[in-house]
């Protein structure tokens, strides 16, 4: 990759070709939820190719389940510093390559090196989310069985579960707003 970029202006050639056809040049940046992982992860099925320095220095931003199990490569954007770190990546990419338009994809590649979660509501129990649910709704999502997808008390239609989902949805929305402003 580096050798090719040093010997040939790949992005410049793409930009020239796109402009000649009246097209724009967009960057597809699929790392919103693929932020790297340490090679030594104990539950990994295979070693991963990169690790984010910010993620290593701040392991608390990795999304966790009720038991505290980490979902490697997936950051919880309830942490303002996690949003800021990811936004810095986009800004650096824009500055280095001159991109002005991005597809900031929510897809994750974490399933390539660890088993995927068995349930969509398994993760989302990081401290800021837990504390905000207590503040807004007076519930501890780490101990309340309504938030345990494996519990007989689990009801995906429970209004309190929906409150939790809405709260979690605020964070990626905030991320995208901040990303747009930064770019």
């Amino acid at each position: 990759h580096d050798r090719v970029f040093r010997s040939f202006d790949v992005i410049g050639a793409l930009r020239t070709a796109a402009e000649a056809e009246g097209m724009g040049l967009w960057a597809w940046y699929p790392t919103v939820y693929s932020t790297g992982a340490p090679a030594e992860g104990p539950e990994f099925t295979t070693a991963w190719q990169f690790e984010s320095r910010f993620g290593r220095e701040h392991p608390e931003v990795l999304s966790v389940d009720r038991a505290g199990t980490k979902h490697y490569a997936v950051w919880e954007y309830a942490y303002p510093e996690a949003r800021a770190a990811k936004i810095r990546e986009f800004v650096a990419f824009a500055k280095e390559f001159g991109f002005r338009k991005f597809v900031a994809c929510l897809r994750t590649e974490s399933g390539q090196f660890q088993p995927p979660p068995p349930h969509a509501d398994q993760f989302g129990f990081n401290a800021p989310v837990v504390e905000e649910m207590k503040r807004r709704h007076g519930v501890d999502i780490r101990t309340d069985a309504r938030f345990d997808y494996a519990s007989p008390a689990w009801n995906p239609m429970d209004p309190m579960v929906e409150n939790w989902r809405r709260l979690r949805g605020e964070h990626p929305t905030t991320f995208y707003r901040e990303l747009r402003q930064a770019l």
Side-chain angles (χ1 to χ4, degrees):
H1 169 270
D2 287 342
R3 183 177 50 79
V4 171
F5 273 87
R6 281 192 305 270
S7 66
F8 178 71
D9 182 10
V10 174
I11 303 300
L14 287 169
R15 185 172 284 111
T16 299
E19 289 170 358
E21 296 297 323
M23 299 169 60
L25 186 61
W26 286 65
W28 178 55
Y29 200 61
T31 65
V32 173
Y33 287 117
S34 290
T35 57
E40 70 273 5
E43 19 341 78
F44 293 173
T45 55
T46 185
W48 190 231
Q49 60 192 7
F50 79 98
E51 177 182 14
S52 161
R53 179 180 302 146
F54 176 83
R56 178 171 281 281
E57 293 171 356
H58 300 278
E60 72 277 5
V61 304
L62 288 171
S63 189
V64 296
D65 66 10
R66 286 169 58 98
T69 303
K70 296 173 183 173
H71 191 172
Y72 289 96
V74 177
W75 289 354
E76 174 56 65
Y77 288 116
Y79 294 97
E81 53 276 1
R83 294 192 309 268
K86 183 53 62 180
I87 288 167
R88 283 192 301 272
E89 288 180 24
F90 278 89
V91 169
F93 196 70
K95 285 180 178 177
E96 181 177 347
F97 297 109
F99 283 105
R100 297 293 172 251
K101 298 177 181 179
F102 286 87
V103 176
C105 184
L106 291 171
R107 179 180 61 85
T108 183
E109 295 182 357
S110 66
Q112 293 184 28
F113 57 90
Q114 64 190 344
H119 198 279
D121 289 313
Q122 178 178 345
F123 289 90
F125 295 88
N126 292 70
V129 176
V130 171
E131 294 308 314
E132 190 61 18
M133 281 298 291
K134 285 179 186 175
R135 189 186 74 71
R136 290 186 191 183
H137 304 289
V139 297
D140 186 342
I141 62 174
R142 287 182 296 195
T143 59
D144 189 320
R146 290 178 294 179
F147 299 91
D148 180 357
Y149 74 91
S151 167
W154 169 253
N155 174 2
M157 303 305 287
D158 185 299
M160 198 57 72
V161 171
E162 185 59 26
N163 288 336
W164 172 55
R165 289 179 181 142
R166 287 180 192 274
L167 170 63
R168 294 207 61 229
E170 290 174 16
H171 305 125
T173 300
T174 299
F175 165 77
Y176 277 107
R177 287 179 178 142
E178 292 170 350
L179 176 62
R180 182 176 182 176
Q181 182 178 359
L183 290 174

